[in-house]
Amino acid sequence: MSIRGPPSAKPSRRPPKVNPDTICAGCSTARETATANSEMDEWISCNGCKKWFHIDCAGFSKAHEIRDVDKYFCQACEPQHGKTTYVRKTTRAHALVDYAELQKGVLKTSEESVEHHYIQPIKDGTFQFDPENFPRMRPEMVTREFFERSGTFVEPICIPAEWNPRPWQERTGKGSDFDEATVAGSVPETAMADLELGDYEYDTVADEGQDRLDMVMPEGLTVRQVCELVGPEIPLDVIDVKTQNSGAKWNLGRWADYYEEKDHDKAIRNVISLEVSQSKLGRLLRRPKVVRDVDLQDSVWPIEEREKGKWPKVQYYCLMSVADSYTDFHIDFGGSSVYYHILRGKKTFFFIPPKPKYLKMYEEWNESPQQNFTFLPHQTKECYRVDLSEGDTMLIPSGWIHAVWTPETSLVIGGNFLTRLSYKNQFRVVEIEKANHTPMKFRYPFFQRIMWYTVIQYLTEDPLPAEVKEAFTRGKQFERSVPIWQDFDGDIAAKDPRPGAQNARYYSQAEVDGLPDLVNYIWRTVMVVLGRVEGISEDQKKRVYASIPKGYGDPLEIAKTFALWVALKRGNEDPPAFAHPDFAIENVREDAPKKLSARALRDLERKEAIAAWRIAPDRQSERSRGPTPPDVKMSHPSPPHHQEQTSVHQSAPAVASPAALMMSPMPGAYFSTPKTSVLGPKRVACDACRKRRIKCKHKDFVMQTTPELLNHAPGYGSPNAPEMHDNITVTPKQGPYHLDGQQNGMTNGYHFDGVPTGDAGPLPGTNAYVNANIPMTMNGVPIFGEAAKRGRSKACFECRRSKRRCVHDENGNVDPVKAAETPTPRGTAKKYSIGEDGSPDPAQKKPRRES
């Protein structure tokens, strides 16, 4: 597709000249540019017939619409080439440069190559992989009992084709393990080509033709037959391999045409998400028996819901890939396990084990904008390569990070399943999906509901005895000398007469180890429904509530009972605190972790600092105030019976240390220790509220242990800073508080040591006392500005921008005089200034507003 202005047009302000030889194939004219509609005179070329069209003749109403066109085909070319395709808009990084060629010193754009830029390094050995030693098992050994008792299913398992030949190969003697008995008991071959699709009944799968894994796969299946069995009009997502973008909506008929096309220069596409369980093809398939036995969904999902057609449909995926298709590293949704059988072609897997550090790397890599250009094994330093051929079957356990390359055009049948053997990895992957904000359509369907059905089945088939529940309530533990997973035959439990010692079935070690993770997952869903988890929207609460099965009792009681049941099965451990009957659910508040950007963190810190400043604008850290030498004395209000004036150099009463002062039983007083850092908002909450991590409601009654109290604390005025002795002085403030303790005829009734003698004046050590008492100076210059009240000054920039009353001086420091002033109320119908006697002064009706 080519887009340009009118043919032969030159970049000029004049109307471009049209080449009369170029005629629009739509209107058959060489339209000259018109000023009113010049943008509609742009041209677009058909990728099929190479003819040129005006964009309005091509069917576009706006000029900007052609920017998203990938390949344009006119109406005459659509029957042969298909409809016009569009570029999918995405935030994922695109391969603008072929990095494989760049490593060789050749700059080559990705548009010149139809394959993914990792394919060539894989082919030529530039990417190195660790030698794998994953088990190759005979199909007779791949059973649920073997997986549960041996713990083998923790790494990929391959069942080679020579050990599991297809039934038609055994009948013709092509299998390496030719079995006459198998051939004698088999039924005549029915070729797929002889099927009459309209007359065939697909209600059940006949118990015939299965292999040694008890798996049924149709003989000679092709992509064209898949199209006929599933339906040519069925829509499907097609992946552009080069950009790893999905979402291109094709139908199955168009895909079959593309798949059979022999053009080697065509764009490489891939289909990996066609689920066929409810189609005619799905009725011809059957999964391996070991998969059906360990599948958690098959075990717990109610039959009545399955009959209604409501169940997770992830059992049968048909994967159709052309040569050199590539799927980048991923984990299957919900941490599910996978079975994978190759009907045609070849596949190559690259596996990274689910170690915690690798899963963390995968989570960060999955969010990186350079995901397309960062080969994940270069970060993990551990990756294994496994090559599979036609007839091979692979079982991939939960959580394994893997990528897939298709050396030869292939057709694969696979499916996903959850197991009791992989609780830990499954929940870990679910957390990664939440952290990466994976859309719900790409997650395991009904995952929460399956886990709830699992809990209900545990409590139904192997109920918790009332005696055990009552013992847990009294704080007892259920003692077990041998873990239940070591009791393979049940002989140990049979000899134990205690209620709850017997088990309904065998529980594997992997299952028992993962039960606490299931408890935590179920408990969190209950907390979400009860509104005890922050950051959860109402829509999310509704979805979580809908996932909890109804008619089985109170979800909260089910979660508590299941926690006790897990403590019983594991033995020798206490159940969680929330499982106790007296646990107060009102006190629970689980905070959802929130990831904030650097800018959001800065904004949050600024808002907290402003809020803290508004509460106590006079507070300052001790480091900025500096220590006071011990020889500097401070005057304090005298009790009423003092008749003579107290001098500034008069000895003050003895003051206890800060620790002792905090234990002082002063009624109505709350204490706050000083901060040791100048960073962050200033401390205004009391110690008791800060220890409990709750919002402090005692700010008006907080007694600060600094600076006045610490100045007189033993050892505070250390001689380590003698140069400060002559520089810092403390002078009494000339204001409402006088040296004799009189204030407007009232007596300040508190000694500095906190012993009350009256009921006038603020408590020493409180914020109010610091505001109303003594400013500090250094070298004779007031630290907080002049002590005397000055005239009106212009508000600072920050206060003007936030539209608040300014309490700063011209140097940006807090002015204690301004801070102590009573704000003038605003919004009244008539404004008056306040006279000296405290009454409104009508002489000045419009007083100047405070800045």
Side-chain angles (χ1 to χ4, degrees):
M1 184 269 297
S2 299
I3 303 172
R4 60 180 174 91
S8 302
K10 298 180 180 180
S12 174
R13 294 181 181 272
R14 299 178 180 178
K17 297 180 180 180
V18 178
N19 188 346
D21 296 335
T22 304
I23 304 297
C24 174
C27 61
S28 301
T29 61
R31 181 194 309 160
E32 295 188 1
T33 302
T35 305
N37 196 25
S38 59
E39 70 168 9
M40 302 308 294
D41 290 330
E42 294 187 10
W43 297 69
I44 186 171
S45 173
C46 175
N47 287 82
C49 60
K50 307 301 180 181
K51 296 180 180 179
W52 287 88
F53 296 81
H54 293 113
I55 60 173
D56 54 341
C57 298
F60 300 98
S61 58
K62 299 290 183 180
H64 65 82
E65 294 180 2
I66 62 178
R67 300 173 186 172
D68 299 331
V69 175
D70 181 23
K71 292 183 179 180
Y72 167 70
F73 297 105
C74 61
Q75 293 183 354
C77 296
E78 282 187 359
Q80 180 181 0
H81 299 282
K83 295 184 178 180
T84 302
T85 59
Y86 293 84
V87 177
R88 179 175 179 265
K89 295 182 179 180
T90 177
T91 59
R92 187 182 175 98
H94 290 261
L96 301 180
V97 177
D98 192 332
Y99 281 76
E101 294 295 326
L102 187 61
Q103 291 180 354
K104 301 178 181 179
V106 179
L107 181 60
K108 182 179 179 182
T109 62
S110 62
E111 294 299 331
E112 301 174 19
S113 175
V114 296
E115 65 181 23
H116 194 274
H117 51 277
Y118 289 159
I119 301 301
Q120 191 58 41
I122 293 174
K123 291 180 178 179
D124 59 23
T126 303
F127 289 167
Q128 297 293 325
F129 303 95
D130 300 313
E132 57 91 8
N133 55 355
F134 297 135
R136 266 65 175 176
M137 297 181 60
R138 302 189 71 88
E140 296 83 4
M141 296 181 60
V142 184
T143 62
R144 181 185 64 183
E145 291 76 14
F146 182 76
F147 282 0
E148 290 179 344
R149 297 171 188 265
S150 66
T152 304
F153 194 42
V154 293
E155 57 185 357
I157 296 174
C158 180
I159 298 93
E162 57 267 23
W163 291 349
N164 185 39
R166 310 309 306 149
W168 50 87
Q169 293 176 340
E170 290 188 332
R171 286 195 294 269
T172 57
K174 294 181 180 180
S176 59
D177 294 340
F178 184 73
D179 191 350
E180 294 292 344
T182 304
V183 176
S186 61
V187 298
E189 176 181 355
T190 303
M192 288 293 301
D194 297 335
L195 286 177
E196 296 181 4
L197 302 178
D199 301 332
Y200 194 86
E201 294 293 337
Y202 297 95
D203 294 337
T204 60
V205 175
D207 190 11
E208 58 189 26
Q210 63 268 19
D211 58 12
R212 298 179 185 182
L213 284 172
D214 197 23
M215 176 175 60
V216 173
M217 294 290 165
E219 177 183 356
L221 185 65
T222 64
V223 171
R224 181 59 63 182
Q225 291 169 345
V226 170
C227 175
E228 295 172 353
L229 290 170
V230 178
E233 300 301 325
I234 295 296
L236 74 164
D237 290 336
V238 178
I239 297 177
D240 184 351
V241 172
K242 185 170 59 177
T243 61
Q244 293 292 288
N245 289 329
S246 62
K249 295 297 182 181
W250 290 22
N251 57 37
L252 198 49
R254 179 182 174 186
W255 170 256
D257 296 338
Y258 164 84
Y259 188 90
E260 295 173 350
E261 187 179 347
K262 300 302 182 180
D263 184 9
H264 297 288
D265 294 331
K266 64 181 179 182
I268 300 178
R269 315 281 184 180
N270 195 7
V271 171
I272 59 175
S273 58
L274 177 63
E275 214 284 330
V276 298
S277 59
Q278 286 193 308
S279 66
K280 296 179 179 180
L281 176 60
R283 302 300 179 92
L284 298 176
L285 303 173
R286 186 162 65 194
R287 299 176 294 168
K289 186 176 187 304
V290 63
V291 174
R292 304 196 303 269
D293 290 343
V294 302
D295 191 349
L296 188 61
Q297 173 184 316
D298 286 359
S299 175
V300 304
W301 199 263
I303 299 179
E304 54 271 17
E305 290 197 24
R306 181 178 290 272
E307 291 176 349
K308 296 178 183 178
K310 183 181 178 180
W311 44 281
K313 303 172 182 63
V314 295
Q315 289 76 22
Y316 300 106
Y317 284 98
C318 184
L319 297 86
M320 299 167 284
S321 308
V322 299
D324 286 332
S325 292
Y326 176 79
T327 303
D328 212 347
F329 286 92
H330 64 283
I331 305 176
D332 284 275
F333 49 24
S336 56
S337 304
V338 181
Y339 78 91
Y340 204 85
H341 180 76
I342 299 179
L343 290 173
R344 294 177 180 273
K346 293 182 179 181
K347 288 282 187 179
T348 297
F349 282 80
F350 307 102
F351 287 110
I352 299 176
K355 298 179 181 179
K357 60 179 179 180
Y358 296 159
L359 292 175
K360 184 62 177 178
M361 292 180 184
Y362 168 79
E363 178 181 345
E364 296 174 353
W365 171 84
N366 207 24
E367 291 184 329
S368 171
Q370 295 297 321
Q371 180 182 7
N372 267 4
F373 309 137
T374 303
F375 196 54
L376 186 59
H378 290 167
Q379 297 182 358
T380 62
K381 307 300 182 182
E382 183 178 1
C383 185
Y384 305 93
R385 172 173 175 166
V386 178
D387 297 308
L388 301 179
S389 302
E390 182 175 326
D392 291 341
T393 305
M394 171 77 78
L395 299 177
I396 307 174
S398 171
W400 279 74
I401 311 167
H402 58 280
V404 186
W405 169 46
T406 307
E408 296 180 5
T409 301
S410 65
L411 176 61
V412 175
I413 298 294
N416 298 73
F417 57 98
L418 301 171
T419 74
R420 292 186 172 92
L421 308 175
S422 308
Y423 284 137
K424 287 181 176 293
N425 283 340
Q426 287 167 179
F427 294 130
R428 194 178 302 166
V429 173
V430 169
E431 291 302 318
I432 292 177
E433 292 175 344
K434 291 180 181 178
N436 288 339
H437 304 287
T438 304
M440 294 303 299
K441 67 177 182 179
F442 297 131
R443 300 188 189 185
Y444 197 101
F446 300 104
F447 183 88
Q448 290 182 0
R449 196 173 187 86
I450 291 175
M451 295 305 157
W452 269 95
Y453 278 133
T454 302
V455 170
I456 294 171
Q457 186 186 73
Y458 277 132
L459 299 179
T460 303
E461 297 183 353
D462 199 352
L464 177 70
E467 298 86 350
V468 176
K469 183 176 182 180
E470 196 270 337
F472 278 131
T473 304
R474 298 196 310 268
K476 303 291 184 180
Q477 292 184 353
F478 194 89
E479 297 181 357
R480 291 186 182 273
S481 58
V482 178
I484 61 174
W485 58 267
Q486 291 184 359
D487 190 9
F488 297 102
D489 300 324
D491 296 336
I492 300 176
K495 297 177 182 178
D496 194 339
R498 296 177 300 169
Q502 292 76 27
N503 302 308
R505 60 174 179 82
Y506 173 75
Y507 296 96
S508 66
Q509 182 180 5
E511 180 178 4
V512 173
D513 291 344
L515 286 176
D517 297 274
L518 180 57
V519 170
N520 294 334
Y521 181 83
I522 292 297
W523 174 250
R524 179 174 172 80
T525 61
V526 175
M527 292 297 98
V528 169
V529 172
L530 295 180
R532 299 294 170 179
V533 179
E534 293 186 356
I536 304 297
S537 65
E538 291 299 325
D539 184 60
Q540 290 174 319
K541 292 180 183 178
K542 292 179 181 179
R543 290 202 301 266
V544 173
Y545 178 75
S547 69
I548 301 177
K550 308 304 184 291
Y552 296 93
D554 183 13
L556 178 60
E557 292 302 320
I558 294 176
K560 290 184 175 182
T561 304
F562 180 64
L564 299 177
W565 185 90
V566 171
L568 165 66
K569 296 303 178 184
R570 291 174 59 85
N572 306 323
E573 67 180 27
D574 296 321
F578 67 79
H580 197 276
D582 297 333
F583 180 77
I585 194 66
E586 291 79 10
N587 297 333
V588 177
R589 192 76 183 181
E590 295 186 3
D591 296 335
K594 300 179 180 179
K595 288 188 175 182
L596 299 179
S597 63
R599 179 177 179 180
L601 286 174
R602 289 194 300 269
D603 293 343
L604 182 61
E605 291 174 357
R606 181 178 179 276
K607 291 179 181 178
E608 291 178 351
I610 293 176
W613 177 87
R614 288 177 177 174
I615 296 174
D618 60 299
R619 280 297 305 277
Q620 199 173 19
S621 68
E622 285 303 307
R623 188 174 300 176
S624 61
R625 294 189 180 212
T628 303
D631 59 340
V632 178
K633 306 300 181 182
M634 187 181 298
S635 64
H636 307 286
S638 304
H641 62 273
H642 261 277
Q643 299 299 325
E644 56 188 26
Q645 185 175 353
T646 305
S647 172
V648 71
H649 294 292
Q650 182 180 352
S651 298
V655 181
S657 64
L661 185 63
M662 291 176 63
M663 302 301 295
S664 174
M666 182 179 296
Y670 298 86
F671 300 96
S672 178
T673 55
K675 286 184 62 176
T676 60
S677 172
V678 298
L679 301 177
K682 299 172 183 178
R683 180 174 291 173
V684 294
C686 65
D687 289 337
C689 293
R690 204 160 53 246
K691 184 177 181 181
R692 297 173 61 191
R693 295 184 180 181
I694 61 176
K695 184 178 181 181
C696 183
K697 300 180 181 179
H698 318 114
K699 296 183 179 66
D700 296 334
F701 306 98
V702 173
M703 292 189 65
Q704 308 291 342
T705 60
T706 58
E708 291 79 12
L709 301 185
L710 286 182
N711 287 343
H712 298 273
Y716 182 76
S718 171
N720 294 335
E723 67 278 2
M724 298 294 292
H725 290 185
D726 298 330
N727 296 334
I728 299 181
T729 60
V730 179
T731 58
K733 178 181 178 182
Q734 301 299 325
Y737 285 88
H738 301 284
L739 296 180
D740 59 356
Q742 302 295 327
Q743 180 187 8
N744 296 332
M746 299 183 63
T747 303
N748 191 326
Y750 283 95
H751 283 293
F752 190 73
D753 58 1
V755 180
T757 60
D759 57 351
L763 296 175
T766 61
N767 291 336
Y769 182 83
V770 176
N771 284 338
N773 208 359
I774 302 173
M776 299 182 65
T777 63
M778 178 173 291
N779 294 328
V781 180
I783 297 178
F784 301 106
E786 296 293 337
K789 183 176 180 180
R790 299 183 301 276
R792 178 179 180 270
S793 60
K794 188 176 181 181
C796 65
F797 175 74
E798 286 294 334
C799 294
R800 287 201 312 273
R801 188 171 62 174
S802 57
K803 298 182 179 179
R804 62 170 181 255
R805 184 172 66 94
C806 183
V807 294
H808 301 95
D809 58 12
E810 62 275 7
N811 298 322
N813 299 321
V814 176
D815 190 336
V817 177
K818 285 186 177 182
E821 291 178 354
T822 304
T824 302
R826 299 179 180 179
T828 57
K830 206 169 188 179
K831 297 183 179 180
Y832 297 96
S833 61
I834 306 299
E836 295 181 357
D837 58 350
S839 61
D841 184 7
Q844 186 179 2
K845 296 184 179 181
K846 290 189 66 177
R848 293 187 303 173
R849 294 180 59 186
E850 285 188 343
S851 297

